[in-house]
């Protein structure tokens, strides 16, 4: 490990110790300057896994993200570590497909996720947030991750998918365990436990929902998957289940992560909170700044389909190429004073991807949820304070707080 001084060449970027306190920003700063496309030899926890390239600047990530012919999502999985999910299951989600199939499946959902269509959900989402905040009545403290963020995001994506509210908590636990499999609290039985217990449970629960919709079509997104036709053919069972998994997982984790990190930043920077309280029209700008500084996914990954050159480095066919959004969003060639949290900045960023085919489907929904969450939380608890030390999820993929204890009214 060499955040400063030491040998950058031999750094192993995804090692657990490196991420103990969240993303290693100092290491990425050095990489951007000294070795912007960097080779990591191995992943110690998974000796079987090959090494990978780290791409750290916004320009290079933009290049990789847009060139899906050279940098495939289908060939080898979409995260640095491939061990958690069998490749066959990753490829059954459209995030793990290349065009043309990717585009055809994504298109089934795109019309429902435009900013206009999503705006129609504002009242319903606000009602969910207000209801969850009402539940804090009479309490002096709470945990913002588990008491506010989790129930809100679960109910929002649950309502899109047709999940009954009483199942929200079960789905949240399944998603947290599978995506956060490297964290001992989220997945107490480790990756083996996730593969043996959680993944089969996801399949079983999802199969039941699919069977119900085959019998009685509904107007939720699960029904869209069940009845979809791509090139005249219905999706296969495992493609329906994994399509469901993708939407629930993406909706569950991401918004929760950025909301909590954004709230923490506002508590740590009372001057910024004051600016926002005095001028609520800055809310969308504060949302973008939170997305920039705290992108919910630290990285996504591609696999080279042939030999290529990137920033002077030779990428070989089959090499893993990891795009570090936690780095590119603090690229000093794009942002002045990139580590400063500034609610007036209103930046462009790569939290949702870098403009390629896999650009986040849920951007409009995530932005709306985040704005409402910030608005309602700040209106009710303008003086919220930290009431303990927050902890982070142990992961080089999820950039997320695990606990955020707060005092609601000082
Ligand atoms: C703060 C919130 C969110 C962030 C930071 C985020 C980020 C991302 C990123 C980085 C990607 C992959 C980009 C790539 O590999 O090129 C992605 C893809 C995706 N996101 Fe989001 N996301 C968020 C919220 C949501 C929500 C609420 C949904 C709801 C359904 C969603 C659905 C998806 C889907 C389906 C994909 C796959 C798109 C594809 O492969 O074409 N996301 N998101």
């Amino acid at each position: 490990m060499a955040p400063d001084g030491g040998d950058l060449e031999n750094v192993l970027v995804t090692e657990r110790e490196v991420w103990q306190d969240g993303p290693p920003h100092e290491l990425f700063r050095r990489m951007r300057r000294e070795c912007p496309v960097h080779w990591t030899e191995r992943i110690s926890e998974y000796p079987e896994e090959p090494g990978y390239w780290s791409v750290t600047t916004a320009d290079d990530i933009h290049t990789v993200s847009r060139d899906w012919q050279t940098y495939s999502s289908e060939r080898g999985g979409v995260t640095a570590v491939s061990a958690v999910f069998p490749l066959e299951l990753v490829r059954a989600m459209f995030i793990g497909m290349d065009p043309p199939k990717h585009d055809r499946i994504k298109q089934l959902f795109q019309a429902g996720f435009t900013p206009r269509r999503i705006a129609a959900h504002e009242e319903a989402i606000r009602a969910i947030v207000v209801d969850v905040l009402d539940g804090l009545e009479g309490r002096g403290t709470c945990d913002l991750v588990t008491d506010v963020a989790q129930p809100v995001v679960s109910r929002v994506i649950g309502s899109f998918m047709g999940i009954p509210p009483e199942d929200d908590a079960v789905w949240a636990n399944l998603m947290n365990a599978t995506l956060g499999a490297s964290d001992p609290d989220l997945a107490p039985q480790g990756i083996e436990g996730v593969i043996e217990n959680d993944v089969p449970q996801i399949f079983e629960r999802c199969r039941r929902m699919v069977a119900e919709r085959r019998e009685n079509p509904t107007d939720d997104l699960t029904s869209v998957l069940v009845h979809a036709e791509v090139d005249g053919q219905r999706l296969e069972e495992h493609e329906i289940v994994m399509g469901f998994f993708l939407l629930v997982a993406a909706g569950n984790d991401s918004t929760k992560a950025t909301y909590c990190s954004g709230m923490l930043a506002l508590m740590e920077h009372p001057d910024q909170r004051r600016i926002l309280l005095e001028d609520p029209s800055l809310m969308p700008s504060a949302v973008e700044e939170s997305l920039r500084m705290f992108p919910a996914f630290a990285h996504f990954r591609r696999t080279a389909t042939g030999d290529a050159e990137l920033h002077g480095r030779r990428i070989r066919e089959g090499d893993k190429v990891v795009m570090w959004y936690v780095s590119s969003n603090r690229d000093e060639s794009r942002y002045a004073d990139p580590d400063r949290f500034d609610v007036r900045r209103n930046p462009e960023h790569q939290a949702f991807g870098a403009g390629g085919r896999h650009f986040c489907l849920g951007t409009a929904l995530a932005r709306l949820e985040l704005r409402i969450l910030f608005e309602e939380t700040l209106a009710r608890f303008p003086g919220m304070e930290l009431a303990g030390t927050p902890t982070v999820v142990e992961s080089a993929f999820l950039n997320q707080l695990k606990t955020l204890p707060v005092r609601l009214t000082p």
Side-chain angles (χ1 to χ4, degrees):
M1 230 273 287
D4 36 49
D7 174 13
L8 211 49
E9 272 300 305
N10 295 320
V11 167
L12 306 174
V13 177
T14 50
E15 296 300 284
R16 191 177 282 273
E17 327 63 278
V18 177
W19 293 77
Q20 213 71 49
D21 303 318
H25 291 299
E26 193 47 35
L27 171 63
F28 282 125
R29 191 182 61 76
R30 269 198 74 198
M31 287 166 73
R32 287 193 297 275
R33 197 178 54 210
E34 295 172 36
C35 187
V37 177
H38 170 276
W39 177 252
T40 290
E41 196 59 47
R42 61 176 192 280
I43 304 172
S44 301
E45 267 179 65
Y46 304 96
E48 306 295 308
E49 286 253 358
Y52 53 88
W53 293 102
S54 284
V55 187
T56 59
T57 67
D59 284 349
D60 287 338
I61 289 183
H62 191 231
T63 301
V64 171
S65 180
R66 290 168 58 98
D67 184 359
W68 59 266
Q69 281 105 333
T70 309
Y71 301 104
S72 163
S73 296
E74 189 161 315
R75 183 159 163 163
V78 295
T79 49
V81 176
S82 317
V84 183
F85 268 117
L87 188 55
E88 189 206 349
L89 293 186
V90 178
R91 285 180 173 153
M93 302 185 269
F94 61 91
I95 201 168
M97 295 177 192
D98 289 334
K101 191 165 183 189
H102 164 269
D103 297 6
R104 290 185 191 138
I105 298 188
K106 191 173 192 176
Q107 210 174 8
L108 298 168
F109 298 100
Q110 242 150 357
F113 279 88
T114 60
R116 252 190 70 186
R117 289 283 293 276
I118 289 298
H121 297 269
E122 172 150 1
E123 228 174 283
I125 294 175
R126 198 175 294 277
I128 290 170
V129 174
V130 166
D131 187 48
V132 168
L133 293 175
D134 282 348
L136 299 175
E137 191 61 45
R139 290 179 60 175
T141 57
C142 79
D143 189 286
L144 225 46
V145 180
T146 46
D147 292 327
V148 178
Q150 184 68 70
V152 167
V153 297
S154 291
R155 184 74 312 256
V156 171
I157 195 66
S159 66
F160 276 69
M161 303 307 296
I163 292 172
E166 60 273 20
D167 289 354
D168 282 353
V170 179
W171 279 109
N173 286 337
L174 288 169
M175 294 300 143
N176 291 339
T178 34
L179 269 78
S182 55
D183 186 286
D185 294 324
L186 298 182
Q189 297 167 318
I191 285 186
E192 295 76 22
V194 168
I195 293 172
E196 268 168 43
N197 305 319
D198 298 284
V199 173
Q201 216 194 122
I202 290 170
F203 266 76
E204 186 43 44
R205 288 181 164 271
C206 193
R207 259 196 215 111
R208 260 182 269 148
M209 291 183 63
V210 168
E212 282 164 21
R213 280 153 187 79
R214 285 221 170 93
E215 289 271 301
N216 302 304
T218 51
D219 58 3
D220 54 43
L221 296 184
T222 308
S223 245
V224 173
L225 280 163
V226 170
H227 300 285
E229 284 200 9
V230 174
D231 298 332
Q233 286 192 327
R234 290 281 164 94
L235 299 181
E236 291 180 33
E237 179 89 4
H238 74 295
E239 291 176 326
I240 296 175
V241 172
M242 292 311 289
F244 177 91
F245 174 82
L246 171 62
L247 292 166
V248 179
N252 176 70
D253 256 296
S254 48
T255 318
K256 178 177 74 184
T258 301
Y259 163 68
C260 292
S261 300
M263 285 305 301
L264 176 58
L266 288 170
M267 285 184 274
E268 288 175 337
H269 300 92
D271 58 319
Q272 294 299 310
R273 178 164 59 184
R274 207 169 315 114
I275 292 171
L276 201 54
L277 287 169
E278 280 168 13
D279 182 1
S281 74
L282 286 171
M283 215 56 89
S285 167
V287 166
E288 297 312 310
E289 177 69 343
S290 300
L291 285 160
R292 179 187 75 82
M293 287 206 68
F294 318 112
F297 301 108
H299 74 263
F300 269 103
R301 169 229 161 158
R302 304 290 189 260
T303 307
T305 57
D307 291 356
E309 199 185 299
L310 188 66
H311 216 121
R313 305 296 296 255
R314 278 217 66 73
I315 314 283
R316 307 267 171 213
E317 181 185 351
D319 281 354
K320 298 181 189 175
V321 179
V322 175
M323 300 174 288
W324 290 106
Y325 304 127
V326 278
S327 172
S328 62
N329 278 356
R330 298 187 185 208
D331 184 335
E332 32 291 283
S333 73
R334 296 218 171 171
Y335 309 102
D337 202 358
D339 294 321
R340 185 168 49 88
F341 179 67
D342 176 355
V343 295
R344 286 192 271 225
R345 197 191 294 257
N346 198 23
E348 287 187 16
H349 54 74
Q350 296 182 341
F352 292 125
R357 283 293 219 281
H358 291 276
F359 196 75
C360 175
L361 175 76
T363 49
L365 176 59
R367 286 182 162 125
L368 180 63
E369 273 186 84
L370 287 169
R371 178 169 61 75
I372 296 174
L373 273 162
F374 284 143
E375 281 171 357
E376 295 296 333
T377 313
L378 287 173
R380 206 175 288 216
F381 305 113
M384 183 185 282
E385 285 175 349
L386 261 184
T389 310
T391 56
V392 296
V393 172
E394 278 187 37
S395 171
F397 175 57
L398 296 183
N399 181 24
Q400 194 173 121
L401 292 171
K402 187 159 55 180
T403 55
L404 180 53
V406 297
R407 196 167 299 108
L408 296 168
T409 30

